[in-house]
Amino acid sequence: MIENTDLNTSANNSVNVNEVEISEIDDHSADNDSAIEDFFSPSNGALAAEGFKTGYVAIVGRPNVGKSTLMNHLLGQKLSITSRKPQTTRHRIHGILSNDEMQAVFVDTPGIHRNEVRAINERMNKAAVSALVDVDLVLFVVDSDQWREDDLLVLQKLGDTDLNVVLVINKADTLKDKGSVLPLMETFNDSFDFADIVPVSALKNQNLDRLQEVIASHLPVAAPIYDTEQITDRSERFLASEIIREKIMRSAGDEVPYDLTVQIDGFKDEAAHIDPKTGRPRKACTFIDATIYVERSGQKAIVIGDKGQRIKQVGMDARKDMEQLFDKKIMLTLWVKVKRGWSDDERALTSLGY
């Protein structure tokens, strides 16, 4: 049985629409053909400097050590959702960092953990481990003052590969005695042959420049894979679903059910036009319809909140982030539905993109 509730949240603030003037072109012009070819080249016509480095970098670790926060701050752009709860990331997410020296394609992975209680946990572990295939470098992220059993599990997975692994000791700013990080680094180094060890604070952007230098030193010399202006290979539909899921997890706090997922049902761009009914100009807008699936009616009530206040706030916060990320006006419609047992149903997981 499927229960549903709908809510429409719309944007009141307008977003500037960039007008692009297209000049008249000569179809027979060799220069024009060359310009088109350059435009569709991987680097968008920009020539990589001599010795330019490019490669894939997997970010791995147990749940809740700051992998997504690290990727977001390295990029200077929020792509991967974050919360204080473990196992927030469920999919591999590619973030692309390009500068004058390198292009690093980061693969943010779900946290590797031992408890595969349901099918979704098993798929998350598989997604994390499979990210190690065909990457050039691994960033193994750990807490500065916490070494746990799941850290050892990740290290065992890395021991089965011949990849270069950089140990990233995150949250180094939380150490009361900064000197205590040195014996910690020695302890980690004795347990594995790391290519480098770098203490950082991802949240406070500390020592990330040094980490970028280390990353570049281990990547192969190659031309950029992606356009240097591109920051991810994920679709706007996927990013929209993740933004909505993050807002629910942050809004509901400890009440939030992990048994929820978000599916984008509609994603339609509407160009600026004159409203035929009112004769008034309407700005360009993207209409997004999304369904939030939970497993029980009680979870549905948590997501909706008292008199619908929580889901309204989720809609407003999600729309704001989408407009900033996509740089356009968003009209967002949210539905909440009960889909019993989806997180342990292989067919349901596949249909929902896991």
Side-chain angles (χ1 to χ4, degrees):
M1 178 179 179
I2 294 182
E3 304 171 12
N4 66 79
T5 298
D6 69 312
L7 172 77
N8 180 270
T9 61
S10 61
N12 294 319
N13 299 325
S14 61
V15 176
N16 291 333
V17 179
N18 296 322
E19 296 181 356
V20 181
E21 182 177 338
I22 303 176
S23 61
E24 192 174 318
I25 60 175
D26 181 356
D27 291 338
H28 302 288
S29 169
D31 291 340
N32 182 67
D33 292 340
S34 176
I36 292 175
E37 183 177 348
D38 287 345
F39 181 84
F40 284 104
S41 67
S43 59
N44 200 19
L47 296 177
E50 185 177 354
F52 192 87
K53 304 286 193 71
T54 295
Y56 285 89
V57 182
I59 306 176
V60 303
R62 63 172 169 82
N64 211 32
V65 292
K67 299 184 297 296
S68 296
T69 300
L70 177 63
M71 187 182 80
N72 289 341
H73 282 263
L74 283 169
L75 296 175
Q77 172 71 57
K78 184 175 180 178
L79 286 183
S80 195
I81 72 172
T82 60
S83 83
R84 59 185 176 84
K85 297 181 177 298
Q87 299 176 26
T88 301
T89 300
R90 292 179 179 170
H91 306 268
R92 284 185 298 174
I93 299 174
H94 287 182
I96 305 166
L97 172 65
S98 301
N99 55 36
D100 292 340
E101 289 78 34
M102 72 167 179
Q103 181 175 91
V105 184
F106 294 108
V107 186
D108 184 22
T109 64
I112 298 175
H113 51 288
R114 292 187 183 276
N115 296 326
E116 297 183 356
V117 180
R118 295 168 299 177
I120 188 173
N121 299 104
E122 183 181 355
R123 291 205 178 193
M124 288 165 62
N125 268 350
K126 287 182 178 178
V129 174
S130 65
L132 301 177
V133 178
D134 295 329
V135 299
D136 301 284
L137 182 67
V138 176
L139 303 184
F140 174 38
V141 185
V142 299
D143 266 352
S144 60
D145 60 350
Q146 298 183 45
W147 177 260
R148 297 181 181 175
E149 187 177 352
D150 281 345
D151 291 312
L152 181 59
L153 174 63
V154 178
L155 208 55
Q156 289 172 346
K157 301 287 186 184
L158 295 176
D160 295 334
T161 74
D162 58 357
L163 295 167
N164 284 333
V165 180
V166 173
L167 176 66
V168 180
I169 304 177
N170 193 23
K171 307 177 186 178
D173 60 303
T174 63
L175 291 172
K176 294 181 180 180
D177 178 12
K178 302 302 180 185
S180 65
V181 76
L182 296 177
L184 179 67
M185 291 168 66
E186 292 178 2
T187 300
F188 282 130
N189 205 29
D190 289 341
S191 61
F192 191 89
D193 185 18
F194 292 105
D196 272 293
I197 300 178
V198 185
V200 304
S201 171
L203 191 61
K204 295 186 178 180
N205 289 317
Q206 293 179 359
N207 215 28
L208 296 189
D209 288 344
R210 169 58 184 160
L211 180 57
Q212 287 191 35
E213 293 174 359
V214 169
I215 291 169
S217 70
H218 292 289
L219 295 183
V221 174
I225 300 170
Y226 296 97
D227 187 301
T228 54
E229 298 298 319
Q230 192 171 342
I231 60 171
T232 184
D233 65 343
R234 283 290 195 172
S235 69
E236 290 183 340
R237 294 175 69 104
F238 172 82
L239 295 174
S241 70
E242 288 289 273
I243 288 172
I244 295 167
R245 187 164 66 87
E246 180 195 53
K247 300 310 175 188
I248 298 170
M249 297 185 74
R250 286 181 171 272
S251 172
D254 291 334
E255 294 181 287
V256 70
Y258 273 94
D259 304 329
L260 70 83
T261 192
V262 179
Q263 178 174 282
I264 302 299
D265 304 310
F267 200 104
K268 181 181 179 182
D269 291 317
E270 182 179 88
H273 66 283
I274 301 298
D275 191 314
K277 294 182 178 179
T278 65
R280 295 178 180 177
R282 297 188 60 174
K283 294 186 177 182
C285 182
T286 296
F287 292 84
I288 301 176
D289 297 325
T291 299
I292 302 162
Y293 286 105
V294 294
E295 294 201 336
R296 297 185 296 276
S297 297
Q299 295 171 340
K300 175 183 172 182
I302 292 174
V303 172
I304 293 173
D306 185 32
K307 298 179 181 178
Q309 289 303 307
R310 175 169 289 150
I311 195 65
K312 287 181 181 178
Q313 190 63 50
V314 165
M316 289 187 291
D317 293 344
R319 177 181 53 78
K320 182 178 179 181
D321 273 16
M322 290 178 200
E323 290 185 337
Q324 181 176 357
L325 181 60
F326 303 150
D327 194 24
K328 55 187 174 183
K329 182 180 177 181
I330 300 294
M331 296 286 283
L332 177 62
T333 302
L334 298 178
W335 296 73
V336 180
K337 297 183 179 182
V338 176
K339 189 177 183 68
R340 302 186 188 281
W342 72 264
S343 63
D344 203 25
D345 185 315
E346 295 287 352
R347 291 181 62 185
L349 289 171
T350 299
S351 68
L352 291 168
Y354 289 91

